[in-house]
Amino acid sequence: MESHEQFSSTLSYVATCMSMLCGGTTSLFATYGSSFGEVLGFTQYETNMVASLGDYAHYMSAPLFGYLTLRIGPRRVTQAAGVLMFVGYMGLSYAFDRLPTQRNQASHYVATMSLLFALVGVGSKAAYMAAMATTASNFRHSRFAGIALGVPLSLYGLSTFVFSSVKAHWFERDAGPARYLLCMAVVSLIAHLLASGFVKLRDSAQLAVVGAKRRRAQSAPRAGAKGVKGDDAGVDQSSSAEAIEMTETRRRRMTTSDPDGETSSPELRRGSLDLTQSTPARPEPTPAEPPIFQRFSRDPTAWALLLGLICFSGPGLAFVNNCGTMVRAMAHTTTMSEEQIGQYKDRIVATQSFFSFASRLSVGYFSDVWRTKLRLPRAGLLVLAAVLMIYAQQMAAQVARLDDLRTLAVLIGVAMGSAFTLAPTITAETWGAHNFGICWGVITLGPAIGGHVCNLVFGFSWDEGLARIAAHMSPIDSDRVHCDSSCFAPAFVTNTKIAYAGLAFFAAVLLMPRILHVLGRKN
């Protein structure tokens, strides 16, 4: 029975990984985003409006799908993800293949294309929340929760690398992205329907029993080697291990505010908390109950993390969504053909995706070592990610060569991958794995807001720069106007200031437990 349960759990984990690998394709917008202008005649501002509304739909739907995953189960949510992405990609494919391309009619299609891309974003987020809520719940008693969350998260980042490579090999010669989007529609539907057949949430009571058995089995041989009776030693060492594992989670929960605005732990207010005392944890309320919303909404740590993600992810998403446009701006002075420019654009997107994947995987493991071995809070790594983002934005404002974009893709990929591995793990530890779907769903609204603002800043800067260049050209040459780095550099100057605000908020997340501890002792 236990071996069957382990096999079922392994299949479930593999299914979530497959869903994440085929679900994180919204960043592929950069590989075909320039086609909105070339094929449909959109301005850069209109193109970024499509990207921004897709990001809004992607992130705004997170609380809904986090709740539905725990309410109706991850299987139906994963199925819905496949259907939504299929409809969105199929509609985009049809639009690029059949809609007229006259510039005077392009504005009529902005709302239609925004809706279709929004369906892709919503489907992607449904797959993400189903996989993440399932993994957080199934590994809630594991000391390797960071790496368990890091693997599917890394595959979510690798998704763009895989499918941009597919586009570069098989679809780059196409005049438009219609066939490529049709391929994405079919792959998304099949992959998520297959994954839905195996993904499931494990019972929490069963998880606790299996975890206790595993710990006793591991501690018994060590006790026998020391000449101690196996049963007594196993119980003592198991209790000690459980107490050590609960240290970080209990510390963070005890320093969050209760609905009355005071710290929730009497021991912490007295300054006499014994972190090695093996006392049973308080039962967590169900996600649908009002107390979690009250505690979460009044917790300053939640607000600091939300605002930090707004200011951190916005500048990053501005590059991710517009790197294809930046490649074209820097390549028009080279001797590269249109096909070579398209391939280079796909390589930039693939580079950003690969390093996002690598950082998600490595940071997931390193953050476990950082917390369990070094006894340091994971939020310290968030601060380092924010510093890296600031450096990348400053570099983007001073791009001089086409190859600089590849370096930018590496830096932003590492920064984004690190933050989006650490933030959900911190959320699960602070407010409980059982509440992860709703709490992380609310916090992940931050990238929608930040991405929308920074995308519109980029679009406005680009169109303004294009108009400025066209004003110095004759009417005969106005159709051959090309932007250069001067069209997007002002946008990244603004984004650098926003990234500094993200650093301040992440530092607040790091210091908040100590601040609340001091305030609690004064009260």
Side-chain angles (χ1 to χ4, degrees), residues 119-181:
L119 291 177
V120 175
V122 171
S124 176
K125 182 54 68 173
Y128 176 93
M129 292 306 298
M132 291 302 294
T134 301
T135 304
S137 180
N138 289 352
F139 287 87
R140 64 198 300 183
H141 296 293
S142 172
R143 70 170 59 191
F144 301 109
I147 188 63
L149 286 169
V151 171
L153 273 171
S154 64
L155 293 175
Y156 193 77
L158 187 65
S159 180
T160 304
F161 172 81
V162 171
F163 291 106
S164 63
S165 300
V166 169
K167 181 178 183 293
H169 282 85
W170 284 293
F171 298 100
E172 198 56 57
R173 295 180 181 273
D174 293 1
R179 283 201 318 135
Y180 172 58
L181 293 171

Side-chain angles (χ1 to χ4, degrees), residues 236-521:
D236 292 341
Q237 293 188 23
S238 177
S239 299
S240 177
E242 290 178 34
I244 293 173
E245 279 304 305
M246 288 193 304
T247 297
E248 174 69 12
T249 302
R250 290 177 60 202
R251 180 185 68 81
R252 295 192 66 89
R253 289 185 193 169
M254 289 175 180
T255 53
T256 57
S257 298
D258 62 15
D260 295 328
E262 298 179 355
T263 53
S264 57
S265 171
E267 298 93 334
L268 192 57
R269 288 198 296 268
R270 293 194 301 265
S272 59
L273 176 62
D274 182 6
L275 296 180
T276 61
Q277 184 179 359
S278 181
T279 56
R282 292 183 301 173
E284 300 174 359
T286 59
E289 292 180 354
I292 182 57
F293 288 103
Q294 294 176 8
R295 181 160 59 94
F296 183 75
S297 63
R298 297 181 183 183
D299 189 349
T301 304
W303 285 102
L305 188 56
L306 173 62
L307 293 172
L309 280 180
I310 289 175
C311 299
F312 172 88
S313 59
L317 288 173
F319 175 83
V320 171
N321 289 332
N322 295 286
C323 59
T325 301
M326 295 169 67
V327 168
R328 289 198 169 275
M330 301 301 297
H332 78 274
T333 57
T334 66
T335 58
M336 297 172 65
S337 65
E338 281 296 316
E339 182 179 345
Q340 290 174 327
I341 292 175
Q343 291 175 343
Y344 195 90
K345 177 178 62 177
D346 293 340
R347 284 198 295 270
I348 291 293
V349 176
T351 298
Q352 186 273 330
S353 175
F354 176 79
F355 279 91
S356 176
F357 154 76
S359 65
R360 289 173 192 245
L361 192 61
S362 58
V363 169
Y365 171 77
F366 182 66
S367 68
D368 284 336
V369 176
W370 179 273
R371 180 179 71 84
T372 58
K373 303 296 184 183
L374 303 179
R375 300 294 180 184
L376 296 173
R378 297 184 199 265
L381 297 175
L382 268 182
V383 173
L384 297 179
V387 171
L388 186 60
M389 179 61 72
I390 291 172
Y391 177 76
Q393 296 299 311
Q394 291 175 336
M395 182 178 178
Q398 302 173 8
V399 167
R401 298 179 299 110
L402 187 61
D403 289 342
D404 290 343
L405 297 180
R406 182 169 295 179
T407 305
L408 265 176
V410 173
L411 295 175
I412 291 180
V414 171
M416 293 285 283
S418 301
F420 281 94
T421 299
L422 294 165
T425 307
I426 291 172
T427 301
E429 288 179 342
T430 306
W431 295 284
H434 191 58
N435 298 317
F436 175 83
I438 294 177
C439 294
W440 176 240
V442 173
I443 290 177
T444 198
L445 297 178
I449 300 170
H452 177 71
V453 172
C454 293
N455 275 329
L456 294 186
V457 168
F458 184 97
F460 178 80
S461 174
W462 180 275
D463 289 341
E464 189 179 56
L466 190 65
R468 184 174 59 253
I469 294 174
H472 293 85
M473 300 180 67
S474 64
I476 299 177
D477 297 329
S478 60
D479 292 337
R480 295 194 296 271
V481 177
H482 293 287
C483 261
D484 53 21
S485 61
S486 65
C487 291
F488 58 77
F492 287 104
V493 172
T494 302
N495 289 347
T496 301
K497 299 176 182 177
I498 297 175
Y500 269 110
L503 173 62
F505 286 119
F506 282 162
V509 174
L510 174 63
L511 299 175
M512 195 64 68
R514 174 61 59 183
I515 294 172
L516 294 177
H517 184 189
V518 172
L519 293 177
R521 293 183 64 178

